[in-house]
Amino acid sequence: MSTVASVQAGPPEPWKSRFYAEAIGASGGSLTLRDAEGWCLSLDVRRWCARADAADRAVVKRCSGRVLDIGCGAGRFVEALARRGHHVLGIDVCPTAVISTVCRGGAAASRSVFDVLPDEGRWDTALLIDGNIGIGGDPLRLLRRIRDLVRPVGLLIVETSPVEVDERRRVRLHAGGQAAGPVFSWATVGVRALERHAGESGWSAAERWTSPAGDRHFVALRARA
């Protein structure tokens, strides 16, 4: 049954800005992450709000058991996994994203991955897609946190940067040319860097693959018992 968990109080979140919420609600928008040095990352909100594509479905096929989608956005993975019969929960700090996920027939909670979450230590698979390895700006901390959320030999599927990079930045969400929220920490991680961080945080690399077009890169990590 579709459910929404209660919103948790906490510090201001860049992903709770009205610009991001409006983009999710409109299934598109010109959003970027930018830092003070000129670095810019375009956010593909239109794809995030669409149905799961071929690259997404390749991820879904690799999921097993109970699935936690971290930073679920508009809910396309929750929808696709639920259609395949998985018990799946999406979490996102943006209430509009949570509502979108529920409207697509999924279960979602308005939580950060660093909040107390349902069924900690009992998830079979966790997802960090669409660059969500960047959450918090500290991949080691994030990977260690997710290690505590999954079963002793649970699976984590991560979408990495398409280039080999391992960067930490202080960024802001922008809508067009307008700053749309507070400064926050973000990380960008390529395949090799991810596997290095994984080895330091209780994971082993299990599989690498790319999308049919070669523009999206994924790594499956297996928790070490």
Side-chain angles (χ1 to χ4, degrees), residues 133-221:
I133 185 63
I135 291 172
D138 186 343
L140 269 175
R141 178 185 178 224
L142 180 58
L143 290 169
R144 286 170 177 152
R145 169 59 176 149
I146 298 170
R147 178 63 188 81
D148 292 336
L149 296 176
V150 301
R151 293 185 183 276
V153 291
L155 185 70
L156 170 61
I157 300 178
V158 182
E159 183 173 359
T160 70
S161 170
V163 297
E164 290 300 343
V165 65
D166 191 10
E167 297 178 339
R168 314 289 176 272
R169 296 182 180 274
R170 297 283 292 167
V171 302
R172 261 183 155 168
L173 183 68
H174 282 68
Q178 180 179 359
V183 174
F184 61 100
S185 297
W186 193 254
T188 310
V189 179
V191 170
R192 292 178 185 174
L194 174 68
E195 292 180 349
R196 183 172 65 253
H197 295 312
E200 298 175 18
S201 54
W203 302 90
S204 297
E207 185 183 5
R208 296 182 184 182
W209 71 97
T210 60
S211 63
D215 57 338
R216 298 176 64 191
H217 293 238
F218 302 89
V219 179
L221 304 175

Side-chain angles (χ1 to χ4, degrees), residues 28-52:
S30 178
L31 297 184
T32 56
L33 298 182
R34 302 184 187 183
D35 72 2
E37 299 173 350
W39 179 86
C40 181
L41 176 68
S42 295
L43 305 182
D44 195 351
V45 180
R46 186 174 298 279
R47 178 172 60 78
W48 298 353
C49 294
R51 289 287 182 90

Side-chain angles (χ1 to χ4, degrees), residues 98-121:
V98 171
I99 292 168
S100 172
T101 300
V102 170
C103 288
R104 297 171 80 144
S110 188
R111 308 275 177 89
S112 162
V113 65
F114 299 109
D115 291 336
V116 176
L117 296 176
D119 298 329
E120 295 200 8

Side-chain angles (χ1 to χ4, degrees), residues 122-140:
R122 296 174 56 194
W123 296 98
D124 298 292
T125 305
L127 300 180
L128 282 175
I129 308 299
D130 299 327
N132 284 337
I133 185 63
I135 291 172
D138 186 343
L140 269 175

